[in-house]
Amino acid sequence: MSPAIAIRELDKVYGEFHALRGVDLEVSERERVVICGPSGSGKSTLIRCINQLERHDGGAIVVGGVALGDDLRNLDAVRRETGMVFQHFNLFPHLTVLENCALPQILSRGARRATAEEKAQGYLARVRITEQAGKYPGQLSGGQQQRVAIARALCMEPRIMLFDEPTSALDPEMISEVLDVMVDLAEAGMTMVVVTHEMGFARKVADRVVYMEAGRIVETAPPDRFFSAPRDDRTRRFLSKILKGS
């Protein structure tokens, strides 16, 4: 079986700044990969290249057997199969929670409103926020808004979910409610790539943890070895800092 995501020799350059340098990464179907590293290491750039929110400058990306490049039809095909959740929730403030989840289905998939709203209600229930369906984003907490953003992505029924630091904009007391939803998705078998500093989540959910620094993948390992016996000095230094502060 071909991997869900295959990345080969990936490069991304911003002017004179080399954000990604020859990155190789494969993600299997139903695998959960957590990417961590210091700020500026390239981890968010990498995940944004997977669905071409950032265009790569060299190398290859294949998602679900579809190569990403200049063919926009391929890009549309990949985005139909790939959901993404960002640091900031990107909800439409003038639409209710239900409308935020239904509208993408109507616009992108041509779904009928009643069908879209029924599916939205189902996914809002899955992220345990059904009772907020008639409210507007500004009436919700940050954790609730992020759960709505996850439900909205799930409404498109993606095969792969990408998370770019989904808890970094949240107050500490709201982080666990979002991580709980992500754990549920992982346990249901969703293919996931997650950029995060939440090492407890990585220990619990990840099949593999990837450490990046200076635009390169430094180390990749299952969580038990990654946390107990990292092989690279750079990984050990990072873990000593982040685990000490947690």
Side-chain angles (χ1 to χ4, degrees):
M1 180 183 293
S2 61
I5 301 169
I7 297 170
R8 297 282 182 272
E9 291 295 315
L10 194 68
D11 285 307
K12 176 64 182 177
V13 179
Y14 299 99
E16 297 183 358
F17 176 62
H18 218 132
L20 297 175
R21 299 171 180 267
V23 171
D24 293 320
L25 180 67
E26 280 195 1
V27 180
S28 301
E29 294 283 350
R30 301 174 68 88
E31 187 178 20
R32 288 97 64 180
V33 173
V34 167
I35 303 174
C36 61
S39 297
S41 60
K43 54 192 187 296
S44 289
T45 301
L46 174 59
I47 204 172
R48 289 170 67 87
C49 283
I50 293 173
N51 66 356
Q52 294 291 273
L53 292 174
E54 299 283 354
R55 301 293 298 272
H56 57 293
D57 297 306
I61 305 173
V62 180
V63 180
V66 178
L68 285 169
D70 294 329
D71 192 331
L72 294 180
R73 292 171 298 180
N74 286 359
L75 177 56
D76 288 342
V78 166
R79 286 182 174 170
R80 281 195 296 270
E81 299 293 331
T82 308
M84 187 157 184
V85 177
F86 303 87
Q87 293 182 24
H88 302 288
F89 324 120
N90 296 334
L91 301 174
F92 292 112
H94 62 290
L95 299 179
T96 66
V97 164
L98 184 64
E99 290 166 340
N100 265 282
C101 293
L103 187 62
Q105 303 173 61
I106 296 168
L107 296 179
S108 298
R109 301 289 173 86
R112 299 178 63 178
R113 181 171 294 277
T115 302
E117 290 184 352
E118 181 178 2
K119 184 183 289 185
Q121 290 280 16
Y123 283 110
L124 289 170
R126 186 170 179 179
V127 302
R128 301 187 291 277
I129 202 167
T130 311
E131 71 282 357
Q132 309 294 347
K135 292 185 178 180
Y136 291 90
Q139 297 174 285
L140 307 182
S141 71
Q144 289 172 326
Q145 290 186 62
Q146 192 62 292
R147 283 191 279 159
V148 172
I150 293 171
R152 178 183 57 186
L154 291 174
C155 281
M156 306 304 285
E157 300 189 330
R159 291 171 53 204
I160 300 165
M161 283 287 286
L162 309 174
F163 294 87
D164 186 8
E165 307 226 33
T167 60
S168 65
L170 300 177
D171 293 333
E173 65 271 17
M174 298 175 186
I175 289 173
S176 62
E177 64 185 75
V178 174
L179 292 178
D180 287 346
V181 168
M182 294 171 64
V183 169
D184 289 346
L185 290 179
E187 291 176 347
M190 175 68 75
T191 303
M192 298 169 67
V193 182
V194 184
V195 171
T196 186
H197 288 295
E198 298 292 338
M199 294 297 98
F201 173 82
R203 287 179 189 270
K204 183 173 184 177
V205 168
D207 296 305
R208 281 186 297 147
V209 184
V210 174
Y211 175 67
M212 292 187 68
E213 190 171 301
R216 302 181 189 275
I217 291 178
V218 172
E219 186 161 357
T220 303
D224 55 348
R225 184 173 70 74
F226 184 86
F227 289 105
S228 64
R231 293 175 177 171
D232 194 280
D233 286 343
R234 291 166 292 181
T235 310
R236 287 193 285 271
R237 285 195 299 269
F238 173 78
L239 288 174
S240 67
K241 291 177 183 176
I242 199 166
L243 295 177
K244 183 179 181 180
S246 63

